[in-house]
Amino acid sequence: MNTVTTATFGSLLQQFFLERLIQQRHLSARTIEAYRDSFRQLLGFAEQRLHKRPATLALEDLSAPFVLQFLDHLEKDRHNCIRSRNARFAAIRSFMQYVSVKEPAALALARSVLGIPMKRFERPLVGFISREHMQAILEAPSPTTWSGQRDRVMLATLYNSGARVSELIALRIADLSFQIGPALHIHGKGRKERQVPLWPATAKQLQRWLQRYPREPHEPLFINRRGGSLTRIGITERLQLAADHATQQYPLLAKQRIAPHLVRHSLAMHLLQSGVDITVIALWLGHESPTTTHMYLEADLQMKQRALKTLRPPTNAAVRYRPPDRLLQFLQGL
């Protein structure tokens, strides 16, 4: 079997990012960053285990057993969930697919890594905040302070739009439109853009916010005290602070892990409960396919209970099957 030189790995990795991901696939900056972070962790792990600097690694070092060790390291040492583990592995798989085309001598190596399956995991039910609790959170920030006024309008916009936290951070004043019908232009995941309508109450809050603190169209819609963009951690902390305050009125909120994505889920559930078609919700949230939105149908127990009431329960008792053979009884009991 032909071997691949040490220099080939470095050049292949650079070509993979510059040619494959950026030029050919034209992936978004966020996706490039995710791939970059995956390889940073992989190269750091290789330096610890193989005692080789990244520049001296050979392609043969990234064997299937080594990749499996790295994936175990992510779960056991870094305490990554299976979903995160699979995301890191997806970047490696994409690279190995590129290698299999660009470097025929490494085809066997690439196939052995590509033969590693993605790890299956249980998908938890989608959590959401009730409308009553959501209203308490939105009203929790103080209207008498600058940060409280910002948090009120920011959380109202987060809930109204169902935006991802990264999308909320990326919003600029120019993305607001009050002509014809108030709407928000969201720069979504994977360069997908969408228009989201604003409720009159949210539009009024945003107009008052901009009148009190006017800024240039290119500046962030929501800023910190220094005038810069808020961070993911900063938004999460402000949301948690509002939730903690609302817990005084609704103690059950303390049992929920409040995060910006939970607000997104809550909007979807509230739209669904109000009778909005699931395809419209998919467009609202920026889902690439309505099948992604079907998880909300699975989560709404109240809708299932209403559906159950429309059916009559069966009157005949079910007959339980009893295997006649011991071996069949063993299999039946598994």
Side-chain angles (χ1 to χ4, degrees), residues 4-73:
V4 184
T5 62
T6 301
T8 302
F9 168 70
S11 62
L12 281 172
L13 188 60
Q14 291 180 50
Q15 291 171 28
F16 171 67
F17 275 91
L18 297 176
E19 295 179 6
R20 180 63 173 168
L21 301 185
I22 297 177
Q23 294 181 11
Q24 297 175 6
R25 297 186 62 188
H26 198 51
L27 297 181
S28 67
R30 294 193 192 107
T31 305
I32 297 296
E33 289 173 2
Y35 274 68
R36 177 203 64 193
D37 293 342
S38 297
F39 277 96
R40 277 181 173 176
Q41 291 185 16
L42 177 66
L43 296 179
F45 177 75
E47 188 169 7
Q48 291 179 352
R49 290 296 177 94
L50 304 178
H51 305 292
K52 287 186 175 182
R53 294 176 58 83
T56 63
L57 275 178
L59 195 57
E60 292 90 338
D61 292 324
L62 304 185
S63 62
F66 175 78
V67 172
L68 282 170
Q69 290 176 17
F70 170 66
L71 297 176
D72 288 340
H73 161 72

Side-chain angles (χ1 to χ4, degrees), residues 36-237:
R36 177 203 64 193
D37 293 342
S38 297
F39 277 96
R40 277 181 173 176
Q41 291 185 16
L42 177 66
L43 296 179
F45 177 75
E47 188 169 7
Q48 291 179 352
R49 290 296 177 94
L50 304 178
H51 305 292
K52 287 186 175 182
R53 294 176 58 83
T56 63
L57 275 178
L59 195 57
E60 292 90 338
D61 292 324
L62 304 185
S63 62
F66 175 78
V67 172
L68 282 170
Q69 290 176 17
F70 170 66
L71 297 176
D72 288 340
H73 161 72
L74 292 178
E75 288 191 70
K76 296 177 182 178
D77 300 331
R78 296 182 63 88
H79 306 292
N80 286 179
C81 65
I82 296 177
R83 190 189 296 269
S84 297
R85 177 254 196 206
N86 286 348
R88 300 300 185 196
F89 183 40
I92 298 172
R93 283 176 59 88
S94 183
F95 172 67
M96 284 301 180
Q97 288 171 348
Y98 179 78
V99 167
S100 68
V101 175
K102 295 287 289 187
E103 193 60 51
L107 183 59
L109 173 70
R111 283 182 174 176
S112 66
V113 174
L114 292 172
I116 301 172
M118 288 288 186
K119 200 165 188 177
R120 297 177 67 89
F121 59 94
E122 294 183 359
R123 296 182 181 272
L125 286 175
V126 176
F128 65 98
I129 306 168
S130 70
R131 297 192 202 189
E132 189 177 30
H133 291 176
M134 191 71 242
Q135 186 65 37
I137 291 174
L138 296 178
E139 294 175 354
S142 171
T144 61
T145 64
W146 178 86
S147 60
Q149 293 170 8
R150 179 205 57 195
D151 291 353
R152 277 198 165 210
V153 65
M154 179 180 70
L155 297 181
T157 304
L158 178 66
Y159 175 59
N160 186 159
S161 65
R164 301 175 179 91
V165 66
S166 58
E167 295 170 346
L168 189 74
I169 293 170
L171 285 176
R172 297 294 180 263
I173 293 176
D175 295 322
L176 266 175
S177 174
F178 297 105
Q179 299 176 354
I180 304 177
L184 199 59
H185 186 89
I186 296 180
H187 306 273
K189 188 177 180 181
R191 290 198 180 90
K192 293 187 287 291
E193 300 187 359
R194 64 187 188 276
Q195 289 280 113
V196 173
L198 294 173
W199 294 314
T202 309
K204 288 180 181 178
Q205 283 182 276
L206 284 164
Q207 286 177 320
R208 287 197 298 267
W209 168 251
L210 294 178
Q211 288 170 0
R212 290 173 183 169
Y213 309 104
R215 296 186 303 283
E216 296 298 321
H218 66 276
E219 292 186 281
L221 183 57
F222 303 113
I223 57 175
N224 56 30
R225 289 192 175 277
R226 296 182 297 277
S229 295
L230 284 164
T231 64
R232 187 181 295 263
I233 295 176
I235 293 174
T236 303
E237 288 178 346

